[in-house]
Amino acid sequence: MPRPPVPDDDAALRWDEFDDSSHVKSDATIAARAAEETGGVEADDDASGATGETPAVAAAERPATGLRLLTAVFALVYLALTVGWIIGIGLVPLSGPTLAIEIMYQFSEFLAIIAAPLWFAAAVSRTRDGQRAAHRLGWLALGTLVLLPWPIVLGVLA
Amino acid sequence: MTRTHLGVAALLSLLVGWFVFDGVSSLIGLPALYAQLGVDPVRVPWVALWAGVVLPVVLFVAAIVIVRREPLTRFTLVLIIALAATAAVRLSLIALATGSILL
């Protein structure tokens, strides 16, 4: 009669259960195991190549810190634009002579309010790969000019 | 551009048509109102009035040209953003043209 395996009290404290179906090997582990299996300097080169290349690729796909900072600044600007339009539509006294025109006026005011967040979301999502930083900043700067809430600006200047 | 792209553009161009209609109404109505009120004709904001007619078409066509090769979802979203920007610019033009701020 075979003996039952000795219970391992420390099993729950380790993450190296290779037989577990949910186990995911990291790049470093894969490289280390490849080095163990093949042995020698050749495997070491592969391991260093694998570990050195992965962060570089990840860094290329991720936007730079400066771009993220500027995007955050633009996010605040666009938030201010949205608030500006919410206040600004109350400063433009528009009323339609008929119900249909009044509905269209209300709808266009709604569109004016959502213009800034939509523009920001589209500009960021179209340049998410971080390769087109100038494009993102250009689109966000253009949107700031186009969507400037002149009713508020005129009110402040008056 | 596929037929679906053209269909979406045609559907949303109805809203552009309304913006143009509104701009033409202002272009005709505001000078008449100024004349009725005895305001000097020199003070009619012709630039803002004409911009209200032309800009909706310019923004919509520019959006179509920029995203004509994009997938349908992104194409539609950008055209809606162009319409939203048109609505915002229209209100700005009205504020600039009339100066009727109630602060």
Side-chain angles (χ1 to χ4, degrees):
Chain A
M1 181 177 175
R3 293 176 58 188
V6 179
D8 184 1
D9 293 336
D10 293 333
L13 304 176
R14 294 198 307 266
W15 296 93
D16 57 351
E17 191 60 48
F18 294 112
D19 296 331
D20 185 356
S21 59
S22 65
H23 178 79
V24 178
K25 294 173 188 170
S26 67
D27 291 337
T29 308
I30 293 169
R33 286 175 69 84
E36 282 175 13
E37 288 171 6
T38 57
V41 179
E42 187 181 337
D44 287 344
D45 290 344
D46 291 344
S48 63
T51 52
E53 188 180 86
T54 309
V57 172
E61 289 173 354
R62 214 181 307 130
T65 308
L67 176 62
R68 276 189 283 173
L69 188 66
L70 282 171
T71 306
V73 171
F74 269 114
L76 289 176
V77 171
Y78 274 75
L79 182 65
L81 289 177
T82 308
V83 174
W85 274 113
I86 291 172
I87 299 169
I89 57 170
L91 302 177
V92 182
L94 284 180
S95 59
T98 65
L99 180 63
I101 293 178
E102 179 64 27
I103 289 171
M104 289 307 296
Y105 278 6
Q106 299 281 338
F107 181 61
S108 67
E109 288 173 355
F110 167 73
L111 282 177
I113 291 172
I114 66 169
L118 281 180
W119 189 299
F120 180 82
V124 171
S125 68
R126 279 175 61 84
T127 56
R128 192 181 290 169
D129 56 3
Q131 305 266 332
R132 295 182 286 180
H135 288 196
R136 175 186 292 186
L137 297 179
W139 280 113
L140 290 176
L142 180 67
T144 308
L145 292 176
V146 171
L147 302 176
L148 198 65
W150 278 101
I152 286 282
V153 175
L154 291 176
V156 170
L157 292 177
Chain B
M1 282 180 70
T2 63
R3 279 187 181 179
T4 321
H5 283 74
L6 288 174
V8 168
L11 191 67
L12 292 176
S13 69
L14 294 175
L15 281 171
V16 179
W18 181 80
F19 281 120
V20 172
F21 167 77
D22 189 58
V24 171
S25 299
S26 298
L27 182 65
I28 296 168
L30 194 67
L33 179 67
Y34 274 27
Q36 199 176 354
L37 294 174
V39 178
D40 188 359
V42 178
R43 296 186 63 186
V44 174
W46 290 110
V47 175
L49 290 174
W50 277 107
V53 177
V54 175
L55 270 180
V57 179
V58 170
L59 286 175
F60 195 70
V61 171
I64 289 176
V65 170
I66 289 169
V67 292
R68 66 188 185 280
R69 296 181 206 282
E70 298 279 346
L72 184 65
T73 311
R74 192 170 287 178
F75 178 82
T76 308
L77 179 67
V78 171
L79 292 198
I80 290 172
I81 291 170
L83 285 172
T86 302
V89 171
R90 170 180 164 271
L91 285 177
S92 287
L93 287 172
I94 290 171
L96 287 168
T98 62
S100 48
I101 307 300
L102 301 178
L103 268 181

